Amino acid sequence: MNSENCGTAEAETEDRHDRPAFPVIGLLGMVGGVGAMTALTFWARFETSPPGALLWLDLAAGVLGCLLVPVLLWRPVPTALVLLVLAVLSPTATPAATLGALQVAQRRPFPVAVAVGAAGIASHAVQGMWRPNRGISLGWWLVLITAGYGALIGWGALARARRALLVSLRERARRAEAEQGRRVAEARMLERTRIAREMHDVLAHRLSLVATYAGALEYRPDAPPERLSQAAGVVRAGVHQALDELRDVIILLRGDDSAGDGQDAGGRPQPVLADLPRLVEESRDAGGRVRLRDEVVDPAALPPAAGRTAYRVVQEGLTNARKHAAGRPVQVVLEGRPGARLVIEIRNPLPADRAAPPAAPGSGTGLVGLTERVQLAGGRLDHEVAAGEFRLHAWIPWPA
């Protein structure tokens, strides 16, 4: 029972798909054309045949055929078969019967159309034998009918194929447009995610510096006024910079702006490998003990994207050291040359009391995002705790 219901539903869907949208004017034109041809056929029979029962049969068949023409739009095959039966009885049903064959060819598969066409040839062969046409022999009548139905089936099949092609092209165009829109949206989201990750790294670094100086103000109230004034100035400048960078993130996520190549959401140049000394000096000014060993050969040859990734790796390592091992020495080692790799190693001893809270709160996702960033650059990042040290090791390919 369910299979029958599914088959019926599929047939109805196919019928709706193949049914053309005929306007009222087109339907009236079709009925009018068939009616005119039927009237001419009936008039010819009336002129050549004496009044009698056959003439009334011709009139009834012609009228019934004209009335069944609109039904072809909804049930083409059954209606066409009924019209072929009428065509056996009277030549006045021939115009409607040929139109039925054309409609079947336009909206049903080719084998069905061929079967209906063969039935049409057979019905008109019977008609020619029962009520022969005085102006043409039966043989030529059959040749004419066969050629006519062949042309109708071919014309209808061609129209059906053309309509199916247009539907397929429209569907492919719609899918291509939707796919293009999806790709654009994905590209925009990936770009926003990349820039937002960049800004996260900057904010984490900036706020950790602010927290360090604020902690100095809190725990060293007896420091010289000049030292306190300097720390307060650094805190104020750091907060302003963090607010500016946060505003850039908000602008980015709202979609009101887009970052250019090598720039952040505010249009400022992004840092590269040459900016690492300045980063180390900021950490030293905040009280950190950072030792940098730079053994990079020809750092200007490093691509800007790889340089930004290396900068973020060192920045994240210094930020984590400032949060979880405040006051501990940090060692940063850079090695690399064109055609090889850029290797980054960061080490810092861990505090004796690992259960103590960090100096500044964090989201815990910095290293996760950093690992993804390095992988996107074609490299690898590993971190571990060994021998009382936190060790971060990363390498980035450096094309020749």
Side-chain angles (χ1 to χ4, degrees), residues 29-168:
M30 188 169 62
V31 175
V34 173
M37 296 179 63
T38 302
L40 291 176
T41 305
F42 177 76
W43 181 258
R45 303 298 296 185
F46 180 77
E47 289 289 331
T48 58
S49 300
L54 290 180
L55 196 61
W56 288 106
L57 178 62
D58 291 339
L59 179 62
V63 172
L64 183 58
C66 291
L67 294 177
L68 288 176
V69 166
V71 187
L72 286 170
L73 301 179
W74 286 270
R75 294 291 184 268
V77 176
T79 308
L81 295 178
V82 173
L83 291 173
L84 291 179
V85 173
L86 293 177
V88 173
L89 302 176
S90 173
T92 56
T94 296
T98 53
L99 178 64
L102 178 61
Q103 290 295 315
V104 171
Q106 286 181 343
R107 295 189 284 127
R108 289 296 180 266
F110 186 73
V112 177
V114 171
V116 173
I121 295 173
S123 65
H124 282 82
V126 175
Q127 180 198 112
M129 290 184 293
W130 179 44
R131 304 182 64 176
N133 194 321
R134 297 179 182 179
I136 189 173
S137 64
L138 180 60
W140 284 107
W141 168 253
L142 292 178
V143 171
L144 181 62
I145 288 299
T146 302
Y149 270 96
L152 290 174
I153 298 303
W155 182 17
L158 180 62
R160 171 182 167 83
R162 179 179 179 275
R163 187 171 66 251
L165 177 61
L166 292 177
V167 171
S168 175

Side-chain angles (χ1 to χ4, degrees), residues 318-357:
L318 295 179
T319 301
N320 284 339
R322 207 160 31 241
K323 288 180 180 179
H324 304 284
R328 301 279 176 165
V330 182
Q331 182 179 7
V332 180
V333 179
L334 301 175
E335 298 176 348
R337 66 184 62 215
R341 295 177 175 180
L342 175 63
V343 180
I344 305 170
E345 290 189 0
I346 302 176
R347 296 187 177 190
N348 62 271
L350 294 175
D353 186 8
R354 298 186 184 179

Side-chain angles (χ1 to χ4, degrees), residues 254-300:
R254 283 179 177 175
D256 299 332
D257 197 1
S258 61
D261 186 17
Q263 294 182 341
D264 61 14
R268 295 183 296 269
Q270 295 189 20
V272 292
L273 190 64
D275 297 310
L276 279 179
R278 177 176 55 83
L279 177 66
V280 172
E281 287 301 323
E282 287 182 351
S283 297
R284 289 171 178 171
D285 292 341
R289 293 186 291 166
V290 182
R291 186 161 61 93
L292 174 63
R293 182 160 61 91
D294 189 351
E295 298 181 0
V296 177
V297 178
D298 194 9

Side-chain angles (χ1 to χ4, degrees), residues 170-183:
R170 283 195 294 267
E171 180 66 18
R172 290 172 62 181
R174 186 190 63 80
R175 291 182 179 178
E177 184 178 358
E179 180 69 13
Q180 180 65 18
R182 184 185 64 82
R183 290 179 180 177

Side-chain angles (χ1 to χ4, degrees), residues 208-270:
S208 65
L209 288 177
V210 171
T212 301
Y213 277 98
L217 289 175
E218 180 181 3
Y219 293 105
R220 294 295 304 274
D222 56 342
E226 296 80 6
R227 187 66 176 176
L228 294 177
S229 177
Q230 179 186 5
V234 172
V235 170
R236 178 176 59 81
V239 170
H240 286 173
Q241 292 177 358
L243 289 176
D244 291 340
E245 291 157 355
L246 181 60
R247 183 182 66 250
D248 293 338
V249 173
I250 294 174
I251 293 175
L252 169 68
L253 297 180
R254 283 179 177 175
D256 299 332
D257 197 1
S258 61
D261 186 17
Q263 294 182 341
D264 61 14
R268 295 183 296 269
Q270 295 189 20

